[in-house]
Amino acid sequence: MKKEFFFKLLDAYQRYHHSAITTKRFKYEQIISVINSLTTNQRFCIEKVGYSFEERNIFLVQWGQGDVKIMLWSQMHGDESTATRAILDVWNFLIADDDFNEIRSDLFKKTTLIFIPVLNPDGASLFKRRTAQGIDMNRDAVRLQTPEARILKEVIDRFSPDFGFNLHDQSLYYSAGESPFPASISFLAPAYNYAREINTQRENAMAIISYINNLLQKIIPGHVGRYDDTFNPRAFGDNIQKWGTSTILIESGGYPGDGEKEYLRKLNFALLLASFDAIAHDAYRISTNRPYDSIPFNVKDRFFDLLIRNAVIKIAGKEFKVDIGINREEVNYHDCNDFYYRSIVQDMGDLALHHGYEELDVNGMKVKAGKSYPYRLETQEELRNADFNNILKNGYTSVVVDDAVLTKPFCDFPVNFVHHRKVKTADLNIKPEGPADFIVMEELEVKHTIVNGFVVNFSKEGYGVKNGLVYRY
Ligand SMILES: [Zn+2]
């Protein structure tokens, strides 16, 4: 049997991967320079469609001469950049001259692709969800108080697209139904009324989703989720469906080992192009044993970055057993290109139904809050020369430091820093929302050390702690 286009795209992906951007965080200017480079290609039509609140340009990129209009918009939430990167790869595919030429010219004749990459450039520039006005523009589809929302509405009104792809990123911590897997890709064919009726437009959106799901299940089985379709009268997806466009929400979640979401970007690339091809040939209305309704709903907060199972902890002299779920929050630092991790205990108790991207079963060992190293380190030189192996192995997760070395809210050492005047002598209990700095004891020996949510690795090169924190109690 002939290999399906979707799988051929995955095989050939490296050819189209825009390799200048390989991280979630990048500068909006980088996207603009790619858009500028398209102006030399006659098949593309570039248009400035307006300005963001802070007067950054927002662009529309058009390709194709067909009757079927397919519109895509990404990053209306500034910190959701996976699909924007996939769009760069889709453009590279459209530009290329290779063994996909037949499909390419077919798409060019049958479809018109309308892209708005980065609808919220102000948010994107800070890697923040909301627009510069502090508004979630996905709740501004009716009131239209943000210039970004007005631009999206105007473009929708102008083109009346047949299909709309509403491209987002979602929490890493959802599972796909009760499966032990994260919801790596999630879908929704939004409702257009409270009754959640299904008209032809919505039915077509559902059919495309089941078409893509069918393909995805062959490579990431159990990792696909679906949002519940409660009508949201303020959201764009729901309204665009209502205005007559078959609207498909695609959300990139988490995938193990894919911190920068490069794999999910690749899947976005292939599933978008496979959808365009299926739309061009009316090939998506196939009957399948995996219909839209069979996709399990996302279940919130079922995943943690690190899950410590079967720990025994002691509070007020009493011992009990808990699982400890730890999340590593990425905190923006300086500009959108830099961040550090701040980890917290997200949940504790019976987490038997939960999962961790990383798991550590400590099997009844005692887990205690890490201690502060009692000798103050005064200078950078003392820090450089410090024997962290020894410090960590003795159950210390923080070192007391002097002002001079506290230059930022985190440190690049495998321990936390505590300001010398701010050392809290009271016992730090392990508690929800509390710091994720622990030692795991086997009898009298420190078996594992966890610093800022990372399990310290003594066996290999480097400690595996991305950064320590600076505590100023
Ligand atoms: Zn979003």
Side-chain angles (χ1 to χ4, degrees), residues 69 144 265 278 376 390 470:
K69 284 174 272 177
L144 299 174
R265 164 193 184 168
R376 194 202 295 184
N390 191 45
V470 170

Side-chain angles (χ1 to χ4, degrees), residues 14 62 69-70 108 125 128 146 161 167 187 196 211 225 232 241 282 306 311 319 362 414 434:
Q14 273 319 312
Q62 214 180 308
K69 284 174 272 177
I70 304 171
F108 191 77
S125 298
K128 282 186 175 163
T146 59
L167 305 171
F187 295 107
R196 298 182 288 185
Y211 178 82
N232 187 334
Q241 191 89 270
D282 233 1
L306 171 64
E319 284 191 342
V362 298

Side-chain angles (χ1 to χ4, degrees), residues 77 80 129 168-169:
H77 294 137
E80 300 177 3
R129 177 182 178 86
H168 291 254
D169 282 81

